[in-house]
Amino acid sequence: MEDNQPVELCSLKTMRESLRRLASEDGGDRRVGNYRRVRVELLDGEHITIDIERKARGSDLLDKVCDDLDVLEKDFFGLLYMQRGDPRVWVDLNRRLSKTFRNEPWDVRFAVKYYPPEPSDLKDDVTRYQLGLAVRRDLVEGRLSCSTITYALLASYILQAELGDHDECNLKTSILAKYRAAPLEALTPDLEAKIEELYKRHRGQTPAEAELNYLENAKRLPLYGAEVHTVRDCDEVDLQLAICCNGICVYRDGLQMNRFPWAKIIKICYNKRVYTLKLRASEFDEYETHLSFRLPSTRACKKLWRCSVEHHIFFRRETPVKVERISGFPRLGSRRVSCRRTLRQLRAEQTPLSEITA
């Protein structure tokens, strides 16, 4: 037994090394020279793998994903990854991926970062389709909610876009689940009957028309395209701040308590766990207003600040601006923001020259 033990250990090590090498070759984290293989989850739940240079930046990876999907309007999208238990952290497009991902594998999720206020303004049908997938995912995962009748209407447009005209067959729950037409827990016999009734009315609509009708109804939902962050006010009351294209909304127990348009917000800042908004004085106020909210950690506070600044730049500014560090304050991490072009720049590129000179 003692003589065979070194041989058995050697065989065991060899087998483990072979299994490790096989797993590395088949897995999504295999190194290819100076390249790294990234596993990307798409909005429809499918996965693709992309080989990218180790020194590439987040914007390079986003461009590669968009090219694979034939998405032309890339600036509405971003990449999510998990960081310290938080599954919704945006990849910094200006930073090297090797500095963002300390360990392999490199796993990211393709997502819509800036939801266009008017989906009909999108020129690319593929972009509009990806936006529809993002809204479906928001509904299924609970980030977006609506009434039962709205669920039925949205689901009916999804079926028309995916399946075409109603074929008089019984609508099955599995079909609704497959196309993420509505959350499974919300499905009832009455809701399924209403979905089928509305689905029949869309006969003749093309997939592109049904997709656009879906988005035109979805954009009216209160939390359409909103990034929601949990905070506490000065009285230790739990609130939610929703950052969206129009500004910042304050919610309590699902009800909107206040709304601050971007035009009213002068300054957005944070210090440790305290997030502060400086609001422009109204015609009835003599002084500017400061509102402060407390978050559970400095990391969460910085995430909220960054989300607010990036949305303000994209939807409000003419061109991206560099966010400078305030002298006399601690470093508090990087102040870089990921916004390559603003909505105004995108619209200007789409506007014909004849309309500009008219």
Side-chain angles (χ1 to χ4, degrees), residues 26-46:
D26 292 339
D29 61 336
R30 179 169 61 91
R31 301 187 179 193
V32 186
N34 242 355
Y35 287 76
R36 295 294 179 269
R37 180 155 293 177
V38 186
R39 188 168 182 262
V40 184
E41 182 182 349
L42 304 179
L43 286 164
D44 59 3
E46 299 294 327

Side-chain angles (χ1 to χ4, degrees), residues 229-241 273 275 292-296:
H229 300 254
T230 301
V231 300
R232 284 187 174 182
D233 63 8
C234 57
D235 298 322
E236 296 298 314
V237 176
D238 289 331
L239 302 171
Q240 291 77 41
L241 294 186
R273 295 191 299 159
Y275 169 87
S292 294
F293 304 91
R294 185 173 294 274
L295 283 92

Side-chain angles (χ1 to χ4, degrees), residues 250 258 260 269 274-279 289-293:
V250 182
N258 216 329
F260 307 114
C269 58
V274 178
Y275 169 87
T276 303
L277 294 175
K278 184 178 179 181
L279 306 178
T289 303
H290 291 74
L291 295 176
S292 294
F293 304 91

Side-chain angles (χ1 to χ4, degrees), residues 116-164:
E118 294 297 333
S120 59
D121 289 343
L122 296 175
K123 303 302 181 183
D124 180 22
D125 289 339
V126 178
T127 302
R128 194 176 297 115
Y129 175 69
Q130 294 294 332
L131 176 61
L133 291 178
V135 174
R136 293 190 215 178
R137 189 160 193 161
D138 289 341
L139 283 165
V140 171
E141 295 181 357
R143 287 186 298 276
L144 193 60
S145 60
C146 59
S147 64
T148 302
I149 186 62
T150 304
Y151 268 137
L153 180 61
L154 294 176
S156 65
Y157 282 124
I158 291 176
L159 296 178
Q160 180 67 27
E162 296 286 357
L163 303 176

